[in-house]
Amino acid sequence: MTTEATPTAQQADEALIALISPPFPADPFPLYETLQSVNRVHNAAALGVWVMSGYEEVTEFLRLPDVQSGARAATQMREDWADHLSLRMYLNSMVTLNQPDHGRIRGLAARVFTPNKIKKMQPAVERLTAGLIDGLIERSDGGEPVDLVDLLAVPFPVAVISDMLGLPFEDGKHLWKLADDWSHVFSGLYTDEDLVRADASAEELAGYFREVIKSRRTNPREDLMSSLVQEATNGRLDEDELMALILFLFTAGFAATTNLVATGVLALLDHPDELNRWRADKSITPSAVEELLRHTTHTTAASRVTTRPVTIAGESIPEGVLVLTLLAAANRDPRRFPDPHRLDLTRDNGPHLSFSAGAHYCFGGSLARIEGAELFPKLIDTFPKIEQAGTPERRAVMGLTGYTTLPVTLGR
């Protein structure tokens, strides 16, 4: 009888290289398991980074109050970053800011993007869901395959965030493509062509929102955009910060749910017993949405830079080191989530890390939860038959899990 050898530190480095090198692996979980087997806090010295893959270790590290944005550091390593509008706008966005600017901008965003305002979106979410499901019924009536990304995963959250910002839905659909092109530079791993597209998209996005901001200053409305413009008018945001915050909220407002819908449907199709369980018992919806978020993990990693020596799980990490925290690996950590690769819609093993942790915890998670809790039950009830009708096309962006197409046949 033979036993498998424990992976070596070199194999852990090779696993990390495979994770961050295009084409990104379709199934990264064996690579995560290699890293967890070697060291859940691993010094990838040959690559100049540390990497964390365990739930407790990632959570503890992200909650440290004095770590800085790794994404910001990585972007500024490019000598000509200031010559690219897409990179300048990204560096002004909340997700890359360090203290004290991060706390100030986040506090202002939280003043207008409140839980109460998100709850008030429930009727709009219900209305938009019903309209899109009706459209799916019409498009799939003849038994022909439909693209669930094009007809549901993209338009649904784009419509919701457009409604919140007070933008026409048709504008939102166009802005989504521009914002998606802009987001390709967020990971730091992009081609020259990606950067050219991102710069052009950033220019068009900025031009559009400059006109909207100008209009809201003259004629404010009861929408999120007007509230943000008022914060700038009161001197709490400068013009660059206002533009970056609006663009970030728009992009973040659709990204999580777009990826959740596509990956969630595929996860349910891979676990038909769980799908039928949800159809039979809608009371499990809250835990089902949380489990889909854990299982799919739309943002797979977050990076930070240490500002002092820190010790995590007995490992001493020096000051000034880039640390990559693998959120998707932590969400499949068997020490935290027994049988972690199985979808269990009533799983109760504590919170996941799909919206990160610590100072950069995504406060838009509550919107994604409301959207998921409304959309999935309507979709699986309306269509007792949901089957793949081809190979879905994956998003080729480092750090994001999702699909650009998902062909399915729907039956009533």
Side-chain angles (χ1 to χ4, degrees):
M1 180 177 178
T2 60
T3 58
E4 292 186 7
T6 301
T8 64
Q10 180 179 342
Q11 287 173 308
D13 287 353
E14 291 169 354
L16 179 59
I17 291 170
L19 285 168
I20 64 176
S21 301
F24 306 111
D27 180 11
F29 295 103
L31 302 172
Y32 295 148
E33 290 170 355
T34 296
L35 285 161
Q36 288 172 340
S37 297
V38 173
N39 197 338
R40 295 152 69 85
V41 181
H42 175 60
N43 179 11
L47 302 176
V49 302
W50 287 68
V51 58
M52 296 186 188
S53 54
Y55 180 92
E56 296 297 335
E57 294 81 0
V58 168
T59 303
E60 180 182 353
F61 181 75
L62 289 176
R63 287 178 175 169
L64 293 176
D66 48 2
V67 291
Q68 295 188 341
S69 168
R72 185 176 192 84
T75 301
Q76 290 181 313
M77 285 178 65
R78 184 184 177 106
E79 292 183 359
D80 66 343
W81 67 264
D83 297 330
H84 297 277
L85 180 60
S86 61
L87 300 180
R88 296 201 308 272
M89 288 188 355
Y90 181 47
L91 289 176
N92 271 320
S93 68
M94 189 165 52
V95 71
T96 68
L97 293 175
N98 295 317
Q99 299 294 8
D101 288 332
H102 175 262
R104 176 175 61 85
I105 300 297
R106 184 181 176 92
L108 291 173
R111 284 163 57 101
V112 297
F113 202 74
T114 64
N116 188 46
K117 286 188 177 179
I118 292 173
K119 286 181 182 177
K120 287 183 178 178
M121 286 300 298
Q122 185 69 48
V125 170
E126 293 174 0
R127 170 176 48 82
L128 293 167
T129 301
L132 288 167
I133 293 294
D134 286 345
L136 277 178
I137 292 172
E138 183 177 346
R139 291 289 294 271
S140 63
D141 194 42
E144 292 297 314
V146 296
D147 182 358
L148 217 55
V149 171
D150 183 53
L151 297 179
L152 191 63
V154 168
F156 174 55
V158 168
V160 173
I161 193 61
S162 296
D163 194 274
M164 289 190 75
L165 287 168
L167 305 175
F169 175 52
E170 289 303 316
D171 287 3
K173 285 199 299 184
H174 176 61
L175 296 172
W176 165 80
K177 182 61 174 68
L178 298 175
D180 188 59
D181 284 343
W182 176 45
S183 73
H184 276 63
V185 301
F186 291 4
S187 71
L189 295 173
Y190 49 82
T191 65
D192 290 341
E193 291 77 13
D194 288 334
L195 183 58
V196 169
R197 280 196 303 272
D199 281 341
S201 296
E203 190 67 54
E204 189 169 346
L205 284 166
Y208 175 88
F209 280 111
R210 282 191 201 101
E211 292 303 313
V212 176
I213 290 168
K214 182 178 177 182
S215 172
R216 292 299 193 278
R217 283 202 167 107
T218 305
N219 299 298
R221 302 179 186 176
E222 293 295 323
D223 56 32
L224 181 61
M225 182 77 71
S226 296
S227 298
L228 293 170
V229 170
Q230 185 60 48
E231 294 292 346
T233 301
N234 292 339
R236 299 189 181 96
L237 291 167
D238 65 30
E239 290 302 303
D240 288 342
E241 291 170 338
L242 174 62
M243 179 67 71
L245 183 54
I246 289 171
L247 287 173
F248 175 72
L249 289 176
F250 177 78
T251 305
F254 70 76
T257 303
T258 291
N259 294 328
L260 173 63
V261 171
T263 57
V265 167
L266 283 173
L268 290 169
L269 295 181
D270 286 340
H271 297 79
D273 290 345
E274 290 298 287
L275 172 56
N276 291 331
R277 182 184 185 189
W278 198 356
R279 280 197 176 110
D281 182 7
K282 296 305 184 299
S283 70
I284 71 171
T285 292
S287 68
V289 172
E290 294 303 317
E291 175 67 349
L292 286 178
L293 287 165
R294 179 201 72 86
H295 193 270
T296 61
T297 313
H298 59 279
T299 300
T300 62
S303 62
R304 301 287 185 269
V305 175
T306 56
T307 60
R308 58 176 176 83
V310 298
T311 300
I312 303 290
E315 296 288 342
S316 298
I317 305 174
E319 177 183 349
V321 168
L322 180 66
V323 179
L324 185 65
T325 62
L326 300 178
L327 305 178
N331 276 347
R332 299 283 188 99
D333 183 351
R335 295 187 188 177
R336 178 72 179 198
F337 303 102
D339 196 4
H341 302 308
R342 182 172 64 88
L343 187 74
D344 178 359
L345 297 183
T346 56
R347 185 184 291 274
D348 184 19
N349 299 113
H352 53 74
L353 293 173
S354 293
F355 296 114
S356 194
H360 284 271
Y361 179 81
C362 178
F363 60 72
S366 54
L367 179 59
R369 289 180 169 102
I370 288 174
E371 291 171 332
E374 182 64 28
L375 182 65
F376 280 105
K378 292 285 195 307
L379 178 67
I380 64 179
D381 265 0
T382 303
F383 300 105
K385 179 186 129 182
I386 305 175
E387 296 178 351
Q388 266 188 254
T391 303
E393 184 176 337
R394 296 173 54 245
R395 282 179 59 89
V397 180
M398 166 64 183
L400 293 178
T401 300
Y403 294 87
T404 56
T405 65
L406 176 52
V408 297
T409 54
L410 303 171
R412 304 184 68 202

